Amino acid sequence: VVPGETALAFYKAKNPTDKPIIGISTYNVIPFEAGQYFNKIQCFCFEEQRLNPQEEVDMPVFFYIDPEFAEDPKMAKIDLITLSYTFFEAKEGQKLPLPGYQ
Amino acid sequence: MSTAMNFSTKTFKPRPPDKGAFPLDHFGECSAFKERFMKCLRESGYESSACRPLSKAYLECRMDRQVLPQLMANEPLEKLGFKDLIDEKPEAKSDK
């Protein structure tokens, strides 16, 4: 991935149960310091997503790495950034502390 | 990975996406585009740049089905970082 260039990535989620599940996901970027340069244009995170029984769905993330990443001397040794998502089951009435998101 | 800067390290603050959430493709209508894109990635050794036309095609597929929120639907592809691919189009009209 080239800093400044938009890129698309896919994850896949499956609901192996026989009940519909409503999930919500959050993400993490490793190494931590690279997270500030990671910009998501669109993704499936922070919103509840419903998966029907046995449903398997592709989950796209459209993002770019801030071009300033290439200028930051602290990032010079980083050539692998890992983006991970954790899917939680949304519980009735529970609101995740979403940072400034309506 | 943390160095001696531990005590001043901020906790990771997730940021919401710029253009909101991507509605899921529950019916797999654009799966073919996704498969072509993934195949390209595998063949190119996971070079994101090499497969940008295909990622553009995938986004166009989603937009055509008007499942993306208004924000994306009205967003010209050039604003999404595909300006160079659009400029190329007159010379090499890629098949959709």
Side-chain angles (χ1 to χ4, degrees), chain A residues 17-90:
Chain A
T17 72
D18 52 7
K19 293 196 305 286
I21 289 189
I22 297 186
I24 191 162
S25 63
T26 184
Y27 73 97
N28 197 17
V29 179
I30 294 172
F32 165 79
E33 295 84 359
Q36 60 183 306
Y37 293 105
F38 179 73
N39 295 292
K40 292 188 306 303
I41 300 176
Q42 263 212 334
C43 76
F44 53 86
C45 45
F46 297 119
E47 283 225 342
E48 290 182 355
Q49 304 284 1
R50 181 194 164 101
L51 284 173
N52 285 319
Q54 302 301 319
E55 185 177 0
E56 193 177 281
V57 75
D58 294 318
M59 317 189 64
V61 179
F62 191 45
F63 67 95
Y64 66 96
I65 308 284
D66 193 316
E68 294 205 353
F69 174 88
E71 313 290 325
D72 188 340
K74 291 202 287 292
M75 301 290 137
K77 293 214 176 67
I78 298 176
D79 61 358
L80 177 68
I81 298 177
T82 306
L83 171 68
S84 62
Y85 280 87
T86 310
F87 232 128
F88 300 93
E89 185 175 351

